[in-house]
Amino acid sequence: GAILVGPRQGRFAKNSKIVKQNAVFQVLGTLLLWFGWYGFNCGSTNGLGGKLSNAAAKIGVATTVSAAVSGTTTILLNFFLDRKFDPGVVCNGILAGLVSITGACAVVQPYSAFVIGVIGAHVYYFSSKMLVSLKIDDVVDASPVHMCCGIWGTLAAALFCDPETYRDSHKDVTNPQNGYGLFYDGEKGGKLFAANLILLITTISYVTAIAFPVFFTLKMLRLLRINNIEETKGQDKVHHGGTAYENAAAGSNNSSMKDKN
């Protein structure tokens, strides 16, 4: 989608200065997402009776560990490689940890969640850099966070699946062959890894086959993005009668002054 839409005006120009929006709201939204993620992950047990209560508790721990360590790792990557602390990058690092652990949260030990979160941070950070180098303008880094870390999370479940944790989180387990990650049993885990890899290939192929024709058709009909005038002025101003942020208003005023001069 981002490839067909194309980059924003001036996104990859030299000394590009695209105005960022409210960082406070971004952090608040990330914290709300993090909180809601517990309902998403822990609630997936579909019950709190018997051993499911222990499973939900362990899922909560795994979710917390992965998100926290991924956010912290991203802070360090951002500082040592870019020499700055970007709150947007840190927020996405937290989300990367949440996405990375979601597929495996019910079947891994907390120490595995730590490793998954660390790797998830690297997957997000470097895939985001790769998109920039390819001049693909993913405005909110949705692909690095959700697609790339989602791929990693699917593979991580097949690598770190712990048999004991698997049995605790699944009722009526009758097949002792199930629940082994690749790092716990090469043969049994290899089958799980192969199955998850096939799942990824199938899902990516299906989504591409469905989404690409839709986006391409919209692009041909010139319905995929707004025109240059609306993009320059901003949709808040064009369609809603004003700007959403003071810095955006100041930028618009400065542009107007330059045009007059």
Side-chain angles (χ1 to χ4, degrees):
I3 295 173
L4 290 175
V5 171
R8 291 163 288 172
Q9 293 184 50
R11 171 63 179 89
F12 298 111
K14 189 176 182 179
N15 299 322
S16 174
K17 293 183 180 179
I18 293 180
V19 178
K20 292 189 177 182
Q21 296 186 350
N22 198 310
V24 175
F25 284 173
Q26 186 176 13
V27 172
L28 177 61
T30 301
L31 293 176
L32 290 173
L33 274 171
W34 192 347
F35 179 76
W37 224 282
Y38 293 108
F40 183 52
N41 282 1
C42 301
S44 296
T45 57
N46 293 323
L48 291 174
K51 66 180 182 179
L52 289 180
S53 60
N54 293 330
K58 185 174 284 188
I59 289 170
V61 171
T63 302
T64 304
V65 169
S66 181
V69 74
S70 181
T72 303
T73 303
T74 308
I75 291 174
L76 297 175
L77 288 171
N78 191 215
F79 176 74
F80 286 110
L81 298 181
D82 295 330
R83 308 308 298 176
K84 61 183 178 181
F85 294 110
D86 187 334
V89 172
V90 175
C91 287
N92 278 337
I94 293 171
L95 296 179
L98 291 169
V99 172
S100 297
I101 196 60
T102 295
C105 62
V107 297
V108 298
Q109 294 284 355
Y111 58 81
S112 297
F114 185 97
V115 177
I116 291 171
V118 170
I119 297 176
H122 285 78
V123 170
Y124 154 67
Y125 187 83
F126 289 108
S127 60
S128 176
K129 294 294 185 184
M130 182 183 69
L131 290 185
V132 173
S133 68
L134 295 174
K135 297 191 184 308
I136 298 174
D137 186 15
D138 188 338
V139 179
V140 295
D141 269 346
S143 297
V145 171
H146 294 282
M147 185 186 75
C148 296
C149 290
I151 291 172
W152 159 237
T154 303
L155 295 177
L159 293 173
F160 295 97
C161 183
D162 171 58
E164 179 183 350
T165 307
Y166 178 88
R167 287 191 290 269
D168 288 342
S169 60
H170 291 73
K171 295 186 293 185
D172 302 325
V173 177
T174 58
N175 188 353
Q177 301 295 319
N178 292 334
Y180 287 87
L182 189 62
F183 292 152
Y184 288 86
D185 188 295
E187 182 178 354
K188 298 174 186 176
K191 294 179 180 179
L192 178 59
F193 187 85
N196 282 21
L197 190 59
I198 293 171
L199 169 66
L200 284 174
I201 295 171
T202 304
T203 303
I204 293 171
S205 300
Y206 173 79
V207 172
T208 302
I210 296 297
F212 180 80
V214 174
F215 285 124
F216 184 77
T217 301
L218 291 173
K219 182 179 178 67
M220 291 298 99
L221 295 174
R222 297 185 179 182
L223 297 174
L224 193 57
R225 65 180 293 164
I226 58 177
N227 59 52
N228 291 340
I229 295 175
E230 290 181 344
E231 184 176 347
T232 300
K233 291 183 176 181
Q235 291 205 76
D236 287 327
K237 190 172 183 179
V238 174
H239 294 286
H240 306 292
T243 55
Y245 302 98
E246 289 298 326
N247 55 2
S252 177
N253 292 335
N254 290 338
S255 296
S256 299
M257 291 297 293
K258 290 179 181 178
D259 292 340
K260 291 179 181 180
N261 292 335

Tab-separated table of all heavy atoms in Angstrom, residues 108-134:
chain	number	residue	atom	x	y	z
A	108	VAL	N	5.368	-19.673	25.897
A	108	VAL	CA	6.794	-19.451	26.166
A	108	VAL	C	7.020	-19.059	27.618
A	108	VAL	O	6.127	-18.519	28.284
A	108	VAL	CB	7.378	-18.351	25.241
A	108	VAL	CG1	7.269	-18.760	23.785
A	108	VAL	CG2	6.704	-17.009	25.483
A	109	GLN	N	8.216	-19.322	28.078
A	109	GLN	CA	8.628	-18.920	29.417
A	109	GLN	C	8.991	-17.432	29.421
A	109	GLN	O	9.333	-16.869	28.380
A	109	GLN	CB	9.837	-19.747	29.861
A	109	GLN	CG	9.553	-21.223	30.060
A	109	GLN	CD	8.798	-21.504	31.349
A	109	GLN	OE1	8.546	-20.626	32.160
A	109	GLN	NE2	8.416	-22.760	31.537
A	110	PRO	N	8.951	-16.791	30.609
A	110	PRO	CA	9.292	-15.364	30.677
A	110	PRO	C	10.676	-15.029	30.131
A	110	PRO	O	10.865	-13.985	29.501
A	110	PRO	CB	9.183	-15.054	32.178
A	110	PRO	CG	8.161	-16.022	32.676
A	110	PRO	CD	8.404	-17.279	31.887
A	111	TYR	N	11.662	-15.911	30.361
A	111	TYR	CA	13.008	-15.616	29.838
A	111	TYR	C	13.031	-15.654	28.316
A	111	TYR	O	13.793	-14.937	27.676
A	111	TYR	CB	14.052	-16.569	30.435
A	111	TYR	CG	13.801	-18.042	30.189
A	111	TYR	CD1	14.152	-18.643	28.977
A	111	TYR	CD2	13.249	-18.838	31.185
A	111	TYR	CE1	13.939	-19.993	28.763
A	111	TYR	CE2	13.024	-20.190	30.973
A	111	TYR	CZ	13.363	-20.766	29.762
A	111	TYR	OH	13.144	-22.100	29.561
A	112	SER	N	12.178	-16.488	27.731
A	112	SER	CA	12.074	-16.501	26.269
A	112	SER	C	11.419	-15.227	25.765
A	112	SER	O	11.788	-14.693	24.716
A	112	SER	CB	11.259	-17.713	25.801
A	112	SER	OG	11.900	-18.928	26.142
A	113	ALA	N	10.446	-14.712	26.539
A	113	ALA	CA	9.797	-13.450	26.178
A	113	ALA	C	10.813	-12.314	26.156
A	113	ALA	O	10.715	-11.391	25.334
A	113	ALA	CB	8.671	-13.138	27.164
A	114	PHE	N	11.790	-12.373	27.049
A	114	PHE	CA	12.855	-11.368	27.078
A	114	PHE	C	13.641	-11.385	25.760
A	114	PHE	O	13.865	-10.338	25.137
A	114	PHE	CB	13.786	-11.649	28.261
A	114	PHE	CG	14.860	-10.619	28.465
A	114	PHE	CD1	14.691	-9.600	29.385
A	114	PHE	CD2	16.048	-10.664	27.738
A	114	PHE	CE1	15.684	-8.644	29.572
A	114	PHE	CE2	17.035	-9.715	27.917
A	114	PHE	CZ	16.849	-8.712	28.846
A	115	VAL	N	14.027	-12.572	25.341
A	115	VAL	CA	14.794	-12.711	24.094
A	115	VAL	C	13.946	-12.280	22.899
A	115	VAL	O	14.427	-11.580	21.998
A	115	VAL	CB	15.271	-14.164	23.914
A	115	VAL	CG1	16.005	-14.327	22.589
A	115	VAL	CG2	16.170	-14.579	25.075
A	116	ILE	N	12.684	-12.672	22.893
A	116	ILE	CA	11.786	-12.313	21.796
A	116	ILE	C	11.641	-10.798	21.698
A	116	ILE	O	11.642	-10.223	20.602
A	116	ILE	CB	10.405	-12.982	21.994
A	116	ILE	CG1	10.529	-14.494	21.801
A	116	ILE	CG2	9.373	-12.408	21.024
A	116	ILE	CD1	9.282	-15.278	22.185
A	117	GLY	N	11.544	-10.126	22.853
A	117	GLY	CA	11.426	-8.676	22.860
A	117	GLY	C	12.681	-7.981	22.353
A	117	GLY	O	12.594	-7.007	21.593
A	118	VAL	N	13.835	-8.468	22.751
A	118	VAL	CA	15.101	-7.882	22.289
A	118	VAL	C	15.222	-8.004	20.771
A	118	VAL	O	15.556	-7.040	20.069
A	118	VAL	CB	16.304	-8.557	22.975
A	118	VAL	CG1	17.609	-8.118	22.329
A	118	VAL	CG2	16.329	-8.223	24.461
A	119	ILE	N	14.960	-9.193	20.255
A	119	ILE	CA	15.056	-9.399	18.808
A	119	ILE	C	13.984	-8.592	18.087
A	119	ILE	O	14.229	-8.011	17.019
A	119	ILE	CB	14.947	-10.893	18.476
A	119	ILE	CG1	16.122	-11.664	19.091
A	119	ILE	CG2	14.906	-11.109	16.953
A	119	ILE	CD1	16.060	-13.161	18.898
A	120	GLY	N	12.789	-8.523	18.662
A	120	GLY	CA	11.711	-7.739	18.065
A	120	GLY	C	12.089	-6.277	17.894
A	120	GLY	O	11.750	-5.653	16.879
A	121	ALA	N	12.792	-5.716	18.877
A	121	ALA	CA	13.240	-4.328	18.780
A	121	ALA	C	14.183	-4.141	17.597
A	121	ALA	O	14.087	-3.156	16.860
A	121	ALA	CB	13.939	-3.910	20.076
A	122	HIS	N	15.099	-5.079	17.423
A	122	HIS	CA	16.031	-4.996	16.291
A	122	HIS	C	15.296	-5.165	14.956
A	122	HIS	O	15.613	-4.473	13.974
A	122	HIS	CB	17.116	-6.067	16.424
A	122	HIS	CG	18.149	-5.773	17.460
A	122	HIS	ND1	17.915	-5.968	18.815
A	122	HIS	CD2	19.410	-5.273	17.365
A	122	HIS	CE1	18.991	-5.619	19.493
A	122	HIS	NE2	19.917	-5.201	18.642
A	123	VAL	N	14.332	-6.083	14.922
A	123	VAL	CA	13.556	-6.287	13.696
A	123	VAL	C	12.844	-4.997	13.313
A	123	VAL	O	12.880	-4.569	12.144
A	123	VAL	CB	12.540	-7.431	13.878
A	123	VAL	CG1	11.568	-7.479	12.702
A	123	VAL	CG2	13.257	-8.772	14.018
A	124	TYR	N	12.189	-4.365	14.303
A	124	TYR	CA	11.485	-3.108	14.018
A	124	TYR	C	12.454	-2.021	13.568
A	124	TYR	O	12.243	-1.369	12.532
A	124	TYR	CB	10.722	-2.618	15.251
A	124	TYR	CG	10.524	-1.129	15.225
A	124	TYR	CD1	9.692	-0.537	14.269
A	124	TYR	CD2	11.220	-0.292	16.096
A	124	TYR	CE1	9.548	0.846	14.198
A	124	TYR	CE2	11.077	1.080	16.033
A	124	TYR	CZ	10.244	1.644	15.083
A	124	TYR	OH	10.119	3.005	14.997
A	125	TYR	N	13.503	-1.818	14.337
A	125	TYR	CA	14.400	-0.675	14.100
A	125	TYR	C	15.058	-0.757	12.723
A	125	TYR	O	15.050	0.219	11.959
A	125	TYR	CB	15.462	-0.629	15.195
A	125	TYR	CG	16.331	0.596	15.144
A	125	TYR	CD1	15.912	1.793	15.720
A	125	TYR	CD2	17.565	0.562	14.506
A	125	TYR	CE1	16.708	2.924	15.666
A	125	TYR	CE2	18.361	1.690	14.445
A	125	TYR	CZ	17.930	2.859	15.036
A	125	TYR	OH	18.727	3.980	14.962
A	126	PHE	N	15.591	-1.918	12.391
A	126	PHE	CA	16.344	-2.023	11.137
A	126	PHE	C	15.420	-2.171	9.924
A	126	PHE	O	15.790	-1.758	8.818
A	126	PHE	CB	17.346	-3.161	11.221
A	126	PHE	CG	18.493	-2.861	12.142
A	126	PHE	CD1	18.602	-3.483	13.372
A	126	PHE	CD2	19.448	-1.922	11.788
A	126	PHE	CE1	19.648	-3.188	14.237
A	126	PHE	CE2	20.508	-1.611	12.640
A	126	PHE	CZ	20.603	-2.238	13.874
A	127	SER	N	14.241	-2.745	10.102
A	127	SER	CA	13.292	-2.769	8.984
A	127	SER	C	12.773	-1.375	8.694
A	127	SER	O	12.540	-1.019	7.525
A	127	SER	CB	12.133	-3.722	9.271
A	127	SER	OG	11.419	-3.325	10.423
A	128	SER	N	12.621	-0.547	9.726
A	128	SER	CA	12.231	0.848	9.523
A	128	SER	C	13.308	1.596	8.750
A	128	SER	O	13.015	2.359	7.809
A	128	SER	CB	11.990	1.535	10.871
A	128	SER	OG	11.692	2.900	10.705
A	129	LYS	N	14.563	1.384	9.107
A	129	LYS	CA	15.677	2.008	8.389
A	129	LYS	C	15.737	1.521	6.944
A	129	LYS	O	16.065	2.292	6.024
A	129	LYS	CB	16.994	1.690	9.101
A	129	LYS	CG	17.139	2.306	10.487
A	129	LYS	CD	17.214	3.812	10.403
A	129	LYS	CE	17.475	4.422	11.778
A	129	LYS	NZ	17.463	5.907	11.721
A	130	MET	N	15.421	0.249	6.737
A	130	MET	CA	15.459	-0.301	5.386
A	130	MET	C	14.413	0.372	4.499
A	130	MET	O	14.687	0.695	3.331
A	130	MET	CB	15.209	-1.807	5.430
A	130	MET	CG	15.269	-2.472	4.062
A	130	MET	SD	14.874	-4.232	4.131
A	130	MET	CE	13.121	-4.156	4.518
A	131	LEU	N	13.209	0.603	5.036
A	131	LEU	CA	12.178	1.283	4.254
A	131	LEU	C	12.614	2.684	3.845
A	131	LEU	O	12.372	3.116	2.717
A	131	LEU	CB	10.874	1.358	5.053
A	131	LEU	CG	10.110	0.057	5.272
A	131	LEU	CD1	8.794	0.334	5.983
A	131	LEU	CD2	9.845	-0.669	3.953
A	132	VAL	N	13.279	3.388	4.768
A	132	VAL	CA	13.763	4.734	4.452
A	132	VAL	C	14.810	4.673	3.350
A	132	VAL	O	14.812	5.481	2.416
A	132	VAL	CB	14.336	5.416	5.717
A	132	VAL	CG1	15.000	6.748	5.353
A	132	VAL	CG2	13.241	5.640	6.740
A	133	SER	N	15.704	3.698	3.446
A	133	SER	CA	16.752	3.563	2.412
A	133	SER	C	16.157	3.220	1.054
A	133	SER	O	16.715	3.580	0.019
A	133	SER	CB	17.765	2.501	2.832
A	133	SER	OG	17.182	1.209	2.833
A	134	LEU	N	15.006	2.540	1.046
A	134	LEU	CA	14.317	2.197	-0.197
A	134	LEU	C	13.354	3.295	-0.635
A	134	LEU	O	12.660	3.139	-1.648
A	134	LEU	CB	13.548	0.881	-0.029
A	134	LEU	CG	14.385	-0.382	0.214
A	134	LEU	CD1	13.478	-1.569	0.514
A	134	LEU	CD2	15.276	-0.679	-0.990
